[in-house]
Amino acid sequence: MKRYLSILKDGLIRQNPVFVLLLGMCPTMATSTSLSNAIGMGFAATLVLICSNLFISLLRKIIPDKIRIASYVIVIAGFVTLVEMLVTAYFPDIAESLGVFLPLIVVNCIILARAEAFASKNTPMAALADGLSMGLGFTLALCVMSFIRELLGSGALLGNTVLPEGFPRTLILTSPPGGFLTLGCVIALMQFILRKQKGKGAAS
Amino acid sequence: MSENQNGIVSGQPETPQMPELPEVTELSEEAAAAKSRVSDEMAPEKAASDRLKPPDSPPKSAVTEKASGKSGGSQNFIKRFVDPERISGLAFTLFAISAAVALVLGAGNALTATVIEENRIAARNEALSAVFDADEFLPTDDTEKLYIAQKEGAVIGYAVQVAPTGYGGPIEMIVGVNPDLTISNVSLIKMSETPGYGQKMQTEDWFLGQFAGKSLPLEYDGEQLDAISGATITSDAVINGMRGALDRVADYLVGEGNAQ
Amino acid sequence: MTFQSLLTLSLGAILVENFVLVRFLGICPFLGVSKKMNTALGMGMAVIFVMTLSSAATWAVEHALLQPLKLDYMRTVVFILVIAAFVQVVEMALKRFVPALYSALGIYLPLITTNCAVLGVAVINSDNATGFLESVLFSFFAAVGFTVAIALFASVRERLEHSDIPAPFEGFPIALVTAALISMAFMGFSGLQVF
């Protein structure tokens, strides 16, 4: 149980897939223009991650090594399509705002990376925990990014105006350069915090 | 960055570790026999593969009986075909996985297709009603693009469904065209434009509303029609959609006139 | 297709809606292979080749196979398989004919499979339901745009190597900030109309 808890904690902060492992940046920058987009994308990607990690772990002894990447991709693509169908049917607004990035979850580096690095080498329960934690870490990263971008960029959160009218909106933040900029600064901040922690740990 | 990338995909085709058994449940008999043919290096693998064989399950023993009943020649062929060492074995496994995925997706599609279709029709009908206060909308053909809006038996206008390519995908709208070829109203079905930019077409009513009463030629001239600043692609897509709608109705009316 | 519409399509895909800097497709290789100009250009060439041909193949498969059989929902799976196969072919061809480039690209070549830009352009073409020629040309120009972006980026990063950068920003973060600035420059192209 302790092991699963530590896996869970890892994915959220210490091994956050976006800010620390530097994976999955395309969808992070593209779908973090608003908090609702971010939550929708995070939810869809987490679902795919959990399912694909679980199944790849279950199938890990059956898939021959030579074709493992191709097999993983097929399984992942299958789950992405399934999630795409479910989201389009039952959450059409989210599907609409995610646009082309919903099917693009299949090339989200995080999913293939975790399949290769973790799910293929661990038990199904551990793989499931890892999928959940990486997915939550990804969602957390998206939410942090979109919180900054939507609040400062359009003065709103979840579509509701939060900043008072007089407060200037830094529109550049919701546009593409803003995505790059926000991600760069947040990663730098993470690096700063991690180094400080390391420094404190070394000193004590 | 590089160490992460190395973790994702190993480009090296040769790996020190030999592949393990595919299709353990059904074909372990043939596969194990195939394995024993290969060199002695495989000995530890054979022990591993014996461990992996599931305890007696009915389907496996049924297959085994069938296989032993066949002549030696075809049994060898099957063994060689699904041997993971060979391309055919790998291809077979890939095919099996793909087939399984395809089946699951087929089931998923069967479950969700009706819901998705219902949503689509509901959204379209809602948009149609928003454009004209009509009793009914008659489709003119099978394409679901052009409808005649009728109220109390009289034609009050035409509704055209357009989907010009915007920034983040197609922008689906219903454009209402009056019989005098002016735009009556526009309603949005769906769009995936950027918040703060193209998405303003949805959040700010002035943009779509400004097209009411306009007819060809349509231009963003700053006086009659204004684009959304910073959302050129979205604005251009919308105006192209309007022009297309007006052309479509004009063509239809000409066709009708010719028919009569 | 008139010359005018071709020019609009090409400039649109390369400048106005640059795949990397505006649409955020293809970031991983963009950030990963842009440290040196020659690897960046090599990657760009490989991407042009793969994107153009694979979008031709995916268009053909969609219209000849998926639509007649009403298997539209298999789109994502089939597309990614076609792309994976193509990348495998390109890898084998490079290994045989241009081994220097093959070893320079190293791990990043098989990564074109997971390059969002390649699958992205196939899905965009499919969503827009454009004809064969227009789809292939759009993909070609999108890939050219990717190459332009990665080359620009590499030229800046080569210089950044020798600059004094605050510790937390070293490596990725400063690259992202640089990309932000280049992306901002590209924003100037929006509204570009040739005729």
Side-chain angles (χ1 to χ4, degrees):
Chain A
M1 193 57 195
K2 234 185 160 178
R3 187 183 172 213
Y4 297 139
L5 277 179
S6 86
I7 293 179
L8 229 73
K9 223 179 42 175
D10 264 356
L12 279 174
I13 314 267
R14 230 159 16 99
Q15 299 249 312
N16 185 291
V18 181
F19 296 142
V20 180
L21 298 182
L22 303 175
L23 299 169
M25 281 176 292
C26 293
T28 307
M29 287 188 277
T31 53
S32 55
T33 45
S34 71
L35 198 52
S36 53
N37 271 8
I39 296 174
M41 178 53 139
F43 163 68
T46 307
L47 207 52
V48 175
L49 201 47
I50 294 177
C51 296
S52 75
N53 260 21
L54 183 63
F55 271 80
I56 288 173
S57 175
L58 286 172
L59 293 174
R60 73 189 184 280
K61 302 219 168 77
I62 300 181
I63 297 177
D65 185 78
K66 282 200 174 131
I67 50 163
R68 70 181 191 286
I69 299 294
S71 313
Y72 298 163
V73 171
I74 297 175
V75 171
I76 294 171
F79 279 117
V80 171
T81 312
L82 214 53
V83 168
E84 206 182 330
M85 285 180 196
L86 290 171
V87 173
T88 315
Y90 300 112
F91 302 98
D93 296 325
I94 298 181
E96 193 182 314
S97 53
L98 288 181
V100 73
F101 282 94
L102 193 48
L104 280 180
I105 296 178
V106 75
V107 288
N108 187 329
C109 319
I110 301 177
I111 306 184
L112 192 59
R114 293 325 281 176
E116 164 83 3
F118 197 94
S120 58
K121 304 188 170 106
N122 283 280
T123 62
M125 278 313 289
L128 196 146
D130 179 76
L132 182 62
S133 79
M134 285 288 150
L136 288 178
F138 179 63
T139 312
L140 182 68
L142 281 177
C143 288
V144 167
M145 289 273 298
S146 62
F147 184 83
I148 299 173
R149 290 178 76 185
E150 195 182 4
L151 185 64
L152 295 176
S154 35
L157 268 184
L158 290 172
N160 306 309
T161 316
V162 169
L163 287 183
E165 284 297 323
F167 202 92
R169 274 93 167 107
T170 326
L171 269 180
I172 195 93
L173 283 177
T174 46
S175 61
F180 286 109
L181 198 61
T182 317
L183 187 61
C185 292
V186 175
I187 294 180
L189 188 64
M190 277 297 282
Q191 288 293 314
F192 183 69
I193 296 175
L194 285 175
R195 273 161 213 255
K196 263 209 157 164
Q197 274 189 347
K198 233 193 255 179
K200 264 198 262 176
S204 62
Chain B
M1 177 77 174
S2 49
E3 57 257 48
N4 295 318
Q5 301 288 21
N6 280 327
I8 298 171
V9 173
S10 75
Q12 303 90 8
E14 296 86 32
T15 52
Q17 164 202 4
M18 294 302 288
E20 302 191 26
L21 290 179
E23 305 305 296
V24 169
T25 48
E26 286 172 36
L27 303 161
S28 53
E29 200 67 38
E30 289 94 357
K35 279 246 166 167
S36 58
R37 279 190 295 118
V38 184
S39 67
D40 295 334
E41 288 174 2
M42 294 300 296
E45 289 304 326
K46 182 156 191 302
S49 65
D50 287 336
R51 241 193 313 120
L52 280 175
K53 258 192 262 181
D56 302 273
S57 47
K60 188 191 78 168
S61 45
V63 171
T64 318
E65 280 171 25
K66 244 202 319 186
S68 55
K70 285 190 190 135
S71 68
S74 54
Q75 200 174 2
N76 271 332
F77 175 73
I78 296 174
K79 266 190 256 179
R80 275 186 288 146
F81 184 78
V82 297
D83 183 351
E85 309 289 307
R86 293 167 144 253
I87 302 277
S88 56
L90 297 176
F92 179 77
T93 317
L94 262 186
F95 176 75
I97 296 177
S98 311
V101 168
L103 278 174
V104 171
L105 288 183
N109 186 52
L111 278 173
T112 55
T114 36
V115 181
I116 295 177
E117 183 66 10
E118 280 167 18
N119 286 347
R120 191 186 68 86
I121 293 180
R124 189 201 63 206
N125 289 342
E126 201 181 310
L128 282 174
S129 313
V131 163
F132 281 119
D133 177 23
D135 291 336
E136 57 178 342
F137 290 92
L138 300 173
T140 55
D141 56 20
D142 292 333
T143 63
E144 289 192 6
K145 292 286 190 294
L146 179 59
Y147 297 88
I148 305 175
Q150 283 197 338
K151 195 179 175 82
E152 288 154 13
V155 174
I156 57 170
Y158 304 89
V160 189
Q161 182 167 356
V162 294
T165 311
Y167 179 80
I171 302 174
E172 282 179 35
M173 308 178 283
I174 300 269
V175 182
V177 181
N178 292 318
D180 61 358
L181 290 182
T182 59
I183 295 176
S184 68
N185 215 340
V186 186
S187 79
L188 185 64
I189 301 182
K190 73 170 173 173
M191 52 116 241
S192 343
E193 307 299 283
T194 321
Y197 290 90
Q199 209 177 78
K200 278 194 199 168
M201 69 175 287
Q202 186 182 42
T203 54
E204 293 176 19
D205 295 326
W206 65 268
F207 180 67
L208 286 178
Q210 68 179 339
F211 290 98
K214 302 288 189 294
S215 56
L216 288 173
L218 292 171
E219 296 288 345
Y220 287 124
D221 50 16
E223 291 161 44
Q224 297 243 323
L225 291 175
D226 252 326
I228 300 177
S229 68
T232 320
I233 296 168
T234 310
S235 310
D236 283 344
V238 170
I239 206 171
N240 283 331
M242 302 292 173
R243 291 183 188 131
L246 288 168
D247 284 338
R248 181 78 192 247
V249 177
D251 287 342
Y252 175 75
L253 288 176
V254 166
E256 287 290 294
N258 286 341
Q260 286 159 9
Chain C
M1 167 156 271
T2 65
F3 178 68
Q4 187 175 345
S5 55
L6 186 66
L7 204 55
T8 314
L9 181 72
S10 60
L11 287 180
I14 299 175
L15 296 177
V16 183
E17 283 194 284
N18 185 287
F19 256 54
V20 186
L21 299 170
V22 179
R23 285 199 190 234
F24 290 124
L25 295 171
I27 304 279
C28 293
F30 177 71
L31 290 171
V33 194
S34 51
K35 282 210 164 153
K36 284 198 142 30
M37 181 61 103
N38 38 8
T39 29
L41 284 177
M43 179 59 143
M45 294 295 132
V47 166
I48 291 178
F49 186 72
V50 173
M51 260 172 93
T52 314
L53 291 181
S54 68
S55 72
T58 48
W59 191 97
V61 168
E62 183 177 15
H63 288 256
L65 205 66
L66 294 180
Q67 279 175 356
L69 294 176
K70 300 259 180 121
L71 288 175
D72 292 0
Y73 58 89
M74 291 292 292
R75 180 181 73 168
T76 312
V77 181
V78 171
F79 278 11
I80 196 76
L81 282 176
V82 169
I83 292 169
F86 251 98
V87 173
Q88 192 64 48
V89 166
V90 169
E91 198 180 342
M92 295 195 290
L94 275 188
K95 195 173 181 180
R96 172 99 192 278
F97 297 115
V98 197
L101 185 57
Y102 175 78
S103 49
L105 285 177
I107 206 77
Y108 295 107
L109 196 45
L111 278 176
I112 300 183
T113 311
T114 53
N115 180 345
C116 344
V118 184
L119 182 62
V121 76
V123 171
I124 290 173
N125 281 331
S126 167
D127 279 343
N128 291 343
T130 44
F132 182 73
L133 190 60
E134 200 178 333
S135 301
V136 173
L137 283 176
F138 179 69
S139 310
F140 174 73
F141 288 122
V144 169
F146 173 84
T147 310
V148 166
I150 207 176
L152 282 174
F153 198 50
S155 65
V156 176
R157 277 190 95 179
E158 273 183 344
R159 300 221 176 160
L160 274 183
E161 295 283 300
H162 310 292
S163 306
D164 210 6
I165 298 170
F169 273 92
E170 267 170 23
F172 248 62
I174 197 67
L176 285 171
V177 173
T178 314
L181 293 171
I182 300 183
S183 171
M184 234 187 277
F186 268 70
M187 272 181 86
F189 287 119
S190 81
L192 179 71
Q193 268 181 328
V194 184
F195 295 101

